[in-house]
Amino acid sequence: MLVLSRRVGERLVIGDDIVVTVIEVRSDGVRLGIDAPRSVSVHRAEVLEAVTAANVAATDAATDAGDEAVESLRGLLNPTAPAAPAADPAPTDPAPTDPAPTDPAPTGDTAAAPTDAAAPAAPATPAPRATPVPRAPGRPGEHRPRR
């Protein structure tokens, strides 16, 4: 380890493109300024150690959770005991497949359309709103009242 003595404002050059400048000297510490290219990462040692420890803990937790997930999936692929069959729901009466007979030639002014079992039902229209939605002045399609 190289040990140097520097005064405020003096610099230390590392390599060709890293410059360390002594900014301030206090009784409890020294402030340094580091000028380095963006490709060089500069970290405080205590922060770097804390981040590394957190990453290791997160990796261990993810590995444990991943192992549990893998074992759960293996259990689904190779069940050790056959699963109990689900209870069958009560049989329901099938709907009649033949539509009700309709009158082929309607008489009078009220002609009813023949019913077809395969025709989809008409979509329900939403109920109208009880109160109108307030709009901000200046929206497209809205006029401002004159004063």
Side-chain angles (χ1 to χ4, degrees):
M1 173 187 293
L2 176 64
V3 179
L4 299 172
S5 296
R6 301 275 79 197
R7 297 182 192 270
V8 174
E10 294 182 334
R11 297 177 179 191
L12 174 68
V13 178
I14 302 172
D16 292 333
D17 50 3
I18 300 174
V19 178
V20 179
T21 306
V22 178
I23 304 294
E24 182 181 5
V25 178
R26 297 181 187 171
S27 62
D28 60 341
V30 177
R31 290 185 66 200
L32 300 174
I34 301 169
D35 186 18
R38 291 196 180 266
S39 61
V40 176
S41 60
V42 179
H43 301 285
R44 296 185 316 186
E46 64 274 9
V47 173
L48 186 61
E49 290 169 1
V51 168
T52 304
N55 286 342
V56 168
T59 303
D60 290 343
T63 303
D64 292 343
D67 291 343
E68 292 173 8
V70 168
E71 290 304 319
S72 174
L73 290 174
R74 282 189 183 144
L76 291 174
L77 291 176
N78 300 324
T80 56
D88 291 334
T92 58
D93 293 333
T97 56
D98 295 332
T102 58
D103 187 11
T107 58
D109 293 339
T110 58
T115 59
D116 187 5
T125 57
R129 290 181 176 254
T131 57
V133 177
R135 295 185 178 234
R139 285 193 171 177
E142 185 174 307
H143 299 285
R144 288 185 168 176
R146 292 187 183 183
R147 292 184 184 200

